Amino acid sequence: MRLIYTRTDGKHNRYEMREFFGDTIPKYAILSHTWGEDEVNFKDMQDRWVKKKEGFRKILYTCEQAQRDGIDWAWIDTCCIDKSSSAELSEAINSMYAWYHSSATCYAYLADVLTDDDLVTEQSRFRGSRWFNRSWTLQELIAPREVKFYDKEWRHIGNEAGPQNGFAKLLEEITGIPKDCLVEHRSPSSYSVAKRMSWASKRKCTRIEDIAYSLIGIFNVNMPLLYGEGAKAFIRLQEEIMKEIDDHSLYAWTLPENDTQSELKRYTEWRG
């Protein structure tokens, strides 16, 4: 696991990256976000001009907040994975749920929301945030022990399991995920396959394979990544789930081959 050093007054330089394994992995914060333009990748972190990239701002925000929280290390998917290595990418995606679960805290950065927005109204930018509609952020909401939400300017919005009970209820309304899963951290495995699939049903990915890959942790299975296989990735996911769980409600969900929106659907929704 590759981490970024967050402090400005420690034994390493801020933004220095180190790899850790097993019991040597230190306490770390983790970022949840949606990808935008000009993101910083692993190779960019070696470039002296990296701080000029638009995507660097979220790295700065994460490190500053982690330092305030007394956490020396952070993990951010855009730059902590060397995606030129297919082996490293596959290991990271299969480990991602566990990494989010093991984090000291998770910062959810909603780049399309401002805190002066009324969170409760049906038309609020918070309710309509892209963060709630992307496949990868599902596990990033469920897996961590603590999720803190921040707006575009990194102003605090609320905590998933904080004292604002109304905020947790709002998250339940938006996502359809029960509050006892979000706040009391009831294991996803205690919910039926159909229920867990329903949580993912309104979320989208840029690549259709990622609909399946983003659910690996939710169902506690492992599978190799084969980008280019299209909707077959979801069939492989179903096969892996059935090895662990004898629940045929799994087959009520599918990814139609001609689905250009990369969105999970109930079989009856597209079959007619």
Side-chain angles (χ1 to χ4, degrees), residues 18-139:
R18 292 289 181 94
E19 275 197 273
F20 299 92
F21 302 92
D23 294 340
T24 68
I25 297 174
K27 180 180 178 181
Y28 62 92
I30 201 163
L31 180 68
S32 175
H33 67 113
T34 58
W35 283 43
E37 298 295 327
D38 205 27
E39 292 288 359
V40 174
N41 62 32
F42 172 69
K43 185 177 180 181
D44 291 334
M45 291 296 286
Q46 320 305 319
D47 194 316
R48 59 182 296 190
W49 305 110
V50 64
K51 294 181 182 179
K52 295 184 179 295
K53 298 195 72 170
E54 177 63 25
F56 189 80
R57 179 159 53 159
K58 64 183 71 174
I59 297 175
L60 171 64
Y61 286 154
T62 299
C63 289
E64 288 180 339
Q65 186 63 49
Q67 181 169 358
R68 286 193 291 269
D69 291 341
I71 303 172
D72 293 354
W73 298 92
W75 188 86
I76 302 170
D77 62 344
T78 52
C79 59
C80 287
I81 305 171
D82 181 1
K83 298 175 185 66
S84 67
S85 167
S86 58
E88 181 171 332
L89 178 60
S90 182
E91 179 185 2
I93 288 180
N94 277 275
S95 303
M96 205 168 289
Y97 188 94
W99 289 351
Y100 275 89
H101 181 70
S102 298
S103 65
T105 188
C106 175
Y107 307 135
Y109 178 54
L110 279 58
D112 53 356
V113 174
L114 292 172
T115 51
D116 56 4
D117 182 31
D118 185 347
L119 305 183
V120 179
T121 63
E122 290 293 331
Q123 294 76 32
S124 72
R125 283 175 289 185
F126 181 75
R127 284 180 178 269
S129 175
R130 187 169 178 261
W131 191 89
F132 292 112
N133 298 315
R134 304 303 292 174
S135 294
W136 288 108
T137 54
L138 174 61
Q139 67 177 359

Side-chain angles (χ1 to χ4, degrees), residues 156-176:
H156 187 241
I157 300 172
N159 290 8
E160 174 195 54
Q164 316 104 306
N165 292 330
F167 189 72
K169 180 63 176 175
L170 178 61
L171 293 177
E172 182 179 22
E173 290 176 9
I174 295 170
T175 64

Side-chain angles (χ1 to χ4, degrees), residues 130-253:
R130 187 169 178 261
W131 191 89
F132 292 112
N133 298 315
R134 304 303 292 174
S135 294
W136 288 108
T137 54
L138 174 61
Q139 67 177 359
E140 295 164 15
L141 174 63
I142 293 173
R145 288 167 285 186
E146 175 183 69
V147 183
K148 300 177 180 178
F149 287 80
Y150 295 89
D151 78 348
K152 181 179 182 179
E153 303 301 329
W154 203 264
R155 291 175 294 191
H156 187 241
I157 300 172
N159 290 8
E160 174 195 54
Q164 316 104 306
N165 292 330
F167 189 72
K169 180 63 176 175
L170 178 61
L171 293 177
E172 182 179 22
E173 290 176 9
I174 295 170
T175 64
I177 302 170
K179 193 165 64 171
D180 59 357
C181 181
L182 298 177
V183 178
E184 299 169 18
H185 303 294
R186 180 178 166 188
S187 172
S189 64
S190 65
Y191 298 91
S192 70
V193 169
K195 175 62 73 174
R196 282 179 275 175
M197 285 293 180
S198 72
W199 298 342
S201 63
K202 301 302 180 184
R203 293 171 178 262
K204 295 180 173 65
C205 279
T206 302
R207 301 193 65 161
I208 194 168
E209 297 91 345
D210 284 337
I211 290 287
Y213 302 157
S214 65
L215 291 173
I216 286 173
I218 296 292
F219 290 99
N220 194 27
V221 297
N222 294 99
M223 55 188 278
L225 276 55
L226 300 171
Y227 281 107
E229 66 178 325
K232 292 178 182 178
F234 189 72
I235 297 172
R236 290 200 297 120
L237 176 69
Q238 289 175 313
E239 291 171 348
E240 293 301 319
I241 294 171
M242 283 301 295
K243 291 177 184 178
E244 306 293 331
I245 309 169
D246 186 17
D247 184 343
H248 291 271
S249 69
L250 170 64
Y251 295 108
W253 300 89

